Amino acid sequence: MAQKKTRAIAVANEKGGVGKTVTVINLAAALTLANQSVLVVDMDPQANATRGLGVVPDDDLPSVYDLIMNNGRKAVEETVVTSRWEGLDLIPSHVDLSGAEVELVDAEGRENRLKDALAPVAGRYDFILMDTPPSLSLLTVNVFSFASEVLVPCQTHPYAFGALAELFDTVDAVREEINPGLFISGIIPTLVDLRTRVANVVMDRLKTDERYRDLVFDTAIRNNTTIAESAEVGRPVVFYRRSSHGAIDYNDLADELLSRSA
Ligand SMILES: Nc1ncnc2c1ncn2[C@@H]1O[C@H](COP(=O)(O)OP(=O)(O)OP(=O)(O)O)[C@@H](O)[C@H]1O
Ligand SMILES: [Mg+2]
């Protein structure tokens, strides 16, 4: 199989509940509609990206935990699940992943476990999208070590805006110490309701701040209950209800990501 020039993207924000998982699920699905092949890697023990793609986390299902712990020496191919949607594959999470940090505390090369494990499949996809937990844990560091880009969902709320600086500093530190090629390639405004004053204030600050303004996507993800509904039933919103704001916004985001070169 010809090797592709894969864009390996971490979706990260240390702040919780800002739309990381929803962005991974729906951006992945929207990219497949634009004829891209996508592997989603769920590196959050909460396993919401796994569920959101219609896969039930299960003890019998090989997961990313087995991969990074080298459990049973699973080949990466054995952990890849094909989803119901063409071109969209998943390496599921497992709740045991929450113990990986402690289990790997003395392990050599512990930051590079995921990178080493994914190497054999890396060139097979156009995109690898990785979901991360809401903390700077070893799991996130493993994702940053493999990724070439970071996409940052940012809720249009003052607290979320404040937390951005922390994430930028983290990525700077990872670049210096672990992965010189890592860069933040975009900030995605999420859960946007422009009828509210705070949302407008935060959007203005994002678009004027020297550190952020060139990174902010023109596409903002609006607050849309269909998105939450579709996650509940384990279907990306672009397949669940094509006419919804959620589907329109994530399709636009995929187009914008494709138009921005890596
Ligand atoms: N644009 C949106 N409109 C409406 N609801 C949304 C939207 N984006 C996310 N949500 C809902 O908000 C909640 C948080 O979203 P999500 O789980 O994607 O955040 P997260 O950053 O991954 O959270 P965590 O840090 O816990 O992993 C979920 O219930 C999700 O369904
Ligand atoms: Mg999440």
Side-chain angles (χ1 to χ4, degrees), residues 183-217:
F183 72 105
I184 295 180
S185 60
I187 298 171
I188 305 160
T190 54
L191 290 144
V192 177
D193 182 353
L194 286 177
R195 290 168 306 183
T196 67
R197 203 185 69 86
V198 278
N200 283 286
V201 169
V202 173
M203 283 296 267
D204 282 348
R205 285 173 72 186
L206 280 173
K207 287 184 173 167
T208 49
D209 189 294
E210 224 171 79
R211 205 175 183 189
Y212 308 138
R213 64 184 175 207
D214 295 334
L215 294 172
V216 181
F217 276 85

Side-chain angles (χ1 to χ4, degrees), residues 13 15-23 44 46 48 131-134 190-191 221-225 227-228 231 250:
N13 192 328
K15 192 155 172 20
V18 296
K20 293 182 286 296
T21 301
V22 153
T23 295
D44 185 349
Q46 297 178 92
N48 290 334
D131 196 16
T132 59
T190 54
L191 290 144
I221 309 298
R222 287 168 286 185
N223 213 330
N224 177 230
T225 46
I227 289 182
Y250 276 106

Side-chain angles (χ1 to χ4, degrees), residues 5-13 20-21 23-25 27-28 31 36-43 49 114 118 122 125-132 139-153 167 171 179 181-188 217 253-262:
K5 195 180 168 300
T6 306
R7 288 174 73 176
I9 302 182
V11 177
N13 192 328
K20 293 182 286 296
T21 301
T23 295
V24 167
I25 296 167
L27 180 59
L31 283 167
Q36 305 294 304
S37 57
V38 185
L39 173 67
V40 168
V41 180
D42 188 354
M43 274 290 268
L114 184 70
L118 291 181
Y125 295 91
D126 295 307
F127 285 88
I128 298 182
L129 289 188
M130 294 172 278
D131 196 16
T132 59
L139 299 174
T140 306
V141 172
N142 263 270
V143 169
F144 284 165
S145 156
F146 175 66
S148 43
E149 303 175 41
V150 185
L151 285 179
V152 186
L167 182 78
V171 172
N179 180 358
L182 186 70
F183 72 105
I184 295 180
S185 60
I187 298 171
I188 305 160
F217 276 85
L253 185 68
D255 289 343
E256 197 179 346
L257 181 68
L258 286 167
S259 73
R260 291 183 174 199
S261 56

Side-chain angles (χ1 to χ4, degrees), residues 93-189:
S93 176
H94 189 281
V95 65
D96 284 351
L97 198 54
S98 59
E101 174 127 29
V102 176
E103 292 176 63
L104 287 174
V105 72
D106 292 322
E108 204 166 306
R110 61 201 185 108
E111 299 89 1
N112 295 321
R113 290 289 183 115
L114 184 70
K115 178 181 169 181
D116 295 343
L118 291 181
V121 292
R124 293 186 200 170
Y125 295 91
D126 295 307
F127 285 88
I128 298 182
L129 289 188
M130 294 172 278
D131 196 16
T132 59
S135 61
L136 181 63
S137 67
L138 180 62
L139 299 174
T140 306
V141 172
N142 263 270
V143 169
F144 284 165
S145 156
F146 175 66
S148 43
E149 303 175 41
V150 185
L151 285 179
V152 186
C154 178
Q155 191 182 355
T156 43
H157 188 279
Y159 293 161
F161 180 87
L164 269 188
E166 215 172 300
L167 182 78
F168 273 63
D169 293 344
T170 301
V171 172
D172 283 345
V174 171
R175 189 184 310 113
E176 269 170 38
E177 288 167 32
I178 299 172
N179 180 358
L182 186 70
F183 72 105
I184 295 180
S185 60
I187 298 171
I188 305 160

